[in-house]
Amino acid sequence: MNSSNLQSHPTASPHLFTSIDMGTNSFKLLIVHADPSTRSFVPVERLKEPVVLSRESPTSISPQSQSRAIQSLRNFKSLILSHNVPLNQIRCVATEALRRAENQKHFVETALEDVGIQIDVLSGEEEARLVYLGVLQFLPVFERSALCIDIGGGSTEFVVGKRGEVKLAVSLKLGHVNLTQMCVGLVEMREYIRCVIDESRLGDRLRECERFEVVVGSSGTIRAIENAVFSGYGSDLCWFDLEEGYKRDWRFGRRELSGVVERLCSEGDEGLIRREGFLEIFEALGIEEMEVSEYALAEGVIADSLGKAFGGLYDLNANARWRSVLRLATRLNGKKRMNHAVHCANIAKEVFVGLRKCNDFNVVLDDKDLEYLEAACFLHNIGIITGKKGIISSLIISSRLNGDHLYSYTAEEVEFIALLTRYQRKKFPKLDRAPFKNFAEKAKRKFIIMCVIIRLSVLLQRSESMDLQEVEFLESANSFKLVLKQQNQEPLVIGSQDQAEEKSDALQLEQEAEHFKRVVLKC
């Protein structure tokens, strides 16, 4: 970054990191909150803008493309500044379109001078390595030999890795934007893909590597295919059942991919060439099934930055079970609900840590309790995907966590998290009734404390009149005070459209504050 254009704020958070992925088709901004103690990061802001660097020319950045790109970077810069991200914790990378651009140097210099952003143009092999690091942040494939495939706008990366080490990294000019520009029809496109793969000896090189145990796909194209399969598009394989949960989980096979492509053919879908090209890659490499990663290059850049910033404190394979919580939350929450979940978890943590510091507090709260509470905050709204919430979220969690989808949680931990999501709203739980009858007294006391915390936190993150960053827990020798600072000090306007809803939130907040005070004093 150019310090004359983009400077660190005096109150910049040391836990905020940013990556910018300047892809051939679109630019993506990711801001995360990283915690070295838990060795994990949580996305707090995402922004994607369609730029299409190669729209006018496949070999250079045209004036029109440069204008779109600079404007997008300005937008990203404004968001970065609003979050007070430290200057040295921002990394911007560019991929295939800039790799092959004849005027690469001029564009990079212009961006630095105009926006203050230093662009790191990645080699194809380095891009593949970072994609693999990103996959490791989403799927528990660290111990397995994995072939990762990332289809971008300008190129497709193939990387084989195991235990964080890259065994093979290949970048081929098989991006969907390139294919659309170069190929007239599907037959020509499939022949071109076969030719590129054969000339690169990709198949032979893969066979020379250690045999891969799992194939993982990333990128928007692959996620779109998986989502179509997940939604039952082109087949009747997918459905939802409260007892069994979602039948499919971030994966699809060759037969299902063919079904999606066939349906798109019958509907004349304009994006068919992307899916048809991907099917050709499936067949050329003999792939039968693929797992799908929501994370790719942007998250890999973050992981790489964290490794340098935290040194030995950041382990690529650490805290896999917490990452599985985030994976389930990401699966069943949209961007807006994920942002709400992050805010809810931040508030809950603030209150939890404050309570734990109280000298006269009789219930001993430990780090695992905080993990359960944060997990419940991230998962409390996943039931909305069915059009319902509350008890539905609890049922989904109970179903999913008993399988292999969230790792290393015991049945007791599963039940505890599910019950926190069930009682985060509406009726307050009665501990003398099922399902709490079999809980030990210590577990009951912990649950009721954590229950009032999540109920209060959910309400606070919902309220637009509260500044979610201004939640303070103040303690003295004999007492404590939970201070909630309002963002908007102006009184409600009588007759305003939102008046009834705001009054309802205020009333609920008063009720939950009373619950909080009564429960904490009792404990």
Side-chain angles (χ1 to χ4, degrees):
M1 296 286 179
N2 186 331
S3 59
S4 63
N5 286 335
L6 188 59
Q7 298 180 353
S8 292
H9 193 276
T11 60
S13 170
H15 297 296
L16 288 179
F17 288 76
T18 293
S19 70
I20 298 174
D21 169 10
M22 295 175 57
T24 300
N25 190 47
S26 60
F27 287 10
K28 304 179 188 73
L29 170 73
L30 172 63
I31 301 176
V32 306
H33 182 275
D35 187 346
S37 63
T38 59
R39 291 170 288 183
S40 62
F41 64 82
V42 177
V44 297
E45 191 72 64
R46 290 184 185 274
L47 184 60
K48 178 179 178 181
E49 296 194 345
V51 176
V52 194
L53 281 176
S54 61
R55 179 182 295 172
E56 292 80 21
S57 169
T59 58
S60 67
I61 307 301
S62 69
Q64 300 96 316
S65 290
Q66 178 171 298
S67 177
R68 293 192 301 271
I70 294 299
Q71 185 56 53
S72 179
L73 291 176
R74 287 173 184 159
N75 296 340
F76 288 177
K77 173 184 173 180
S78 296
L79 197 55
I80 291 170
L81 289 173
S82 71
H83 281 274
N84 296 331
V85 181
L87 179 67
N88 63 341
Q89 292 174 192
I90 304 167
R91 186 180 180 193
C92 177
V93 300
T95 56
E96 179 64 20
L98 267 183
R99 269 200 296 269
R100 68 182 179 195
E102 298 167 350
N103 57 343
Q104 175 195 122
K105 182 179 179 182
H106 171 73
F107 178 88
V108 170
E109 290 174 349
T110 300
L112 181 59
E113 181 179 350
D114 189 297
V115 191
I117 292 181
Q118 179 66 56
I119 300 170
D120 179 7
V121 182
L122 301 175
S123 68
E125 291 72 22
E126 177 65 1
E127 181 181 353
R129 183 186 75 85
L130 291 172
V131 165
Y132 173 57
L133 294 188
V135 167
L136 292 182
Q137 307 310 297
F138 193 78
L139 292 173
V141 295
F142 184 84
E143 298 291 345
R144 305 165 71 187
S145 179
L147 166 62
C148 303
I149 303 175
D150 184 83
I151 301 179
S155 63
T156 294
E157 276 61 54
F158 301 83
V159 55
V160 177
K162 185 176 183 179
R163 298 184 60 80
E165 293 186 8
V166 172
K167 307 295 183 182
L168 173 69
V170 177
S171 179
L172 301 181
K173 292 180 175 58
L174 295 176
H176 57 77
V177 173
N178 287 351
L179 292 175
T180 303
Q181 292 173 336
M182 296 173 58
C183 304
V184 177
L186 294 179
V187 173
E188 181 185 356
M189 181 267 298
R190 297 191 73 165
E191 289 178 353
Y192 175 77
I193 291 173
R194 282 276 182 180
C195 181
V196 171
I197 290 176
D198 289 344
E199 287 182 358
S200 69
R201 293 186 60 252
L202 178 61
D204 293 337
R205 294 169 73 182
L206 288 174
R207 283 186 287 272
E208 292 168 3
C209 279
E210 177 181 353
R211 181 175 178 82
F212 49 86
E213 303 165 76
V214 59
V215 180
V216 179
S218 56
S219 79
T221 297
I222 293 176
R223 290 197 301 273
I225 293 170
E226 190 276 335
N227 188 59
V229 172
F230 173 74
S231 303
Y233 189 84
S235 70
D236 58 357
L237 295 176
C238 308
W239 67 93
F240 178 78
D241 183 273
L242 285 179
E243 295 300 320
E244 299 184 30
Y246 283 90
K247 293 295 183 181
R248 308 204 60 79
D249 183 62
W250 300 102
R251 69 180 70 235
F252 60 88
R254 189 191 301 190
R255 184 168 65 89
E256 293 156 317
L257 172 59
S258 297
V260 170
V261 171
E262 287 175 10
R263 182 162 175 178
L264 290 173
C265 279
S266 67
E267 296 178 359
D269 185 89
E270 293 182 0
L272 174 61
I273 195 164
R274 304 184 190 180
R275 280 75 170 183
E276 184 76 14
F278 184 47
L279 179 58
E280 185 65 27
I281 292 174
F282 245 66
E283 293 178 355
L285 299 180
I287 299 170
E288 294 298 330
E289 184 177 72
M290 172 175 283
E291 295 192 28
V292 179
S293 172
E294 182 78 5
Y295 291 179
L297 177 60
E299 291 79 10
V301 170
I302 292 290
D304 196 51
S305 296
L306 294 180
K308 295 172 183 175
F310 297 149
L313 290 177
Y314 191 77
D315 181 354
L316 288 173
N317 193 41
N319 220 358
R321 74 182 207 158
W322 174 247
R323 288 176 184 160
S324 62
V325 170
L326 296 182
R327 187 163 60 251
L328 180 57
T330 302
R331 174 59 149 172
L332 302 182
N333 276 328
K335 176 184 175 181
K336 185 176 181 179
R337 288 206 303 274
M338 274 301 291
N339 285 339
H340 289 169
V342 170
H343 292 159
C344 180
N346 287 340
I347 296 170
K349 183 175 182 179
E350 186 80 27
V351 178
F352 180 95
V353 171
L355 277 178
R356 192 161 63 173
K357 289 179 180 178
C358 285
N359 296 330
D360 297 330
F361 198 55
N362 295 324
V363 177
V364 177
L365 299 171
D366 57 33
D367 289 343
K368 275 199 171 183
D369 296 321
L370 178 57
E371 181 186 347
Y372 305 150
L373 180 63
E374 290 183 304
C377 287
F378 274 94
L379 300 173
H380 79 276
N381 259 350
I382 60 175
I384 291 179
I385 196 171
T386 68
K388 304 176 182 179
K389 49 187 175 182
I391 192 171
I392 307 300
S393 296
S394 177
L395 288 170
I396 294 174
I397 292 167
S398 296
S399 168
R400 300 288 281 184
L401 292 182
N402 280 325
D404 295 327
H405 306 289
L406 290 180
Y407 295 85
S408 303
Y409 285 90
T410 66
E412 290 77 15
E413 290 174 320
V414 168
E415 184 179 15
F416 199 91
I417 295 170
L419 287 172
L420 282 174
T421 64
R422 178 173 180 176
Y423 289 103
Q424 51 88 12
R425 63 193 296 270
K426 293 188 176 180
K427 290 185 178 180
F428 201 73
K430 295 184 179 180
L431 301 183
D432 58 345
R433 299 181 184 178
F436 301 101
K437 280 187 176 181
N438 296 328
F439 275 38
E441 285 303 314
K442 179 182 176 182
K444 286 182 180 180
R445 289 197 300 273
K446 280 191 175 187
F447 178 84
I448 206 67
I449 287 290
M450 293 162 68
C451 186
V452 296
I453 294 175
I454 190 174
R455 289 171 71 94
L456 194 60
S457 302
V458 168
L459 269 177
L460 289 175
Q461 67 85 16
R462 269 177 38 194
S463 176
E464 294 183 359
S465 64
M466 292 289 175
D467 181 348
L468 301 183
Q469 304 303 318
E470 293 295 323
V471 181
E472 293 185 66
F473 200 96
L474 308 176
E475 61 167 322
S476 62
N478 300 313
S479 65
F480 63 84
K481 183 182 292 186
L482 182 64
V483 181
L484 311 174
K485 296 185 181 179
Q486 282 190 311
Q487 188 176 43
N488 179 10
Q489 300 294 338
E490 296 181 4
L492 290 174
V493 178
I494 301 299
S496 67
Q497 185 176 0
D498 297 330
Q499 182 180 1
E501 184 177 342
E502 291 192 24
K503 282 186 175 179
S504 174
D505 282 348
L507 180 59
Q508 289 184 59
L509 190 56
E510 287 182 12
Q511 292 172 342
E512 293 306 328
E514 282 300 314
H515 278 312
F516 183 88
K517 184 165 62 176
R518 187 171 61 252
V519 167
V520 170
L521 289 175
K522 185 178 179 181
C523 290

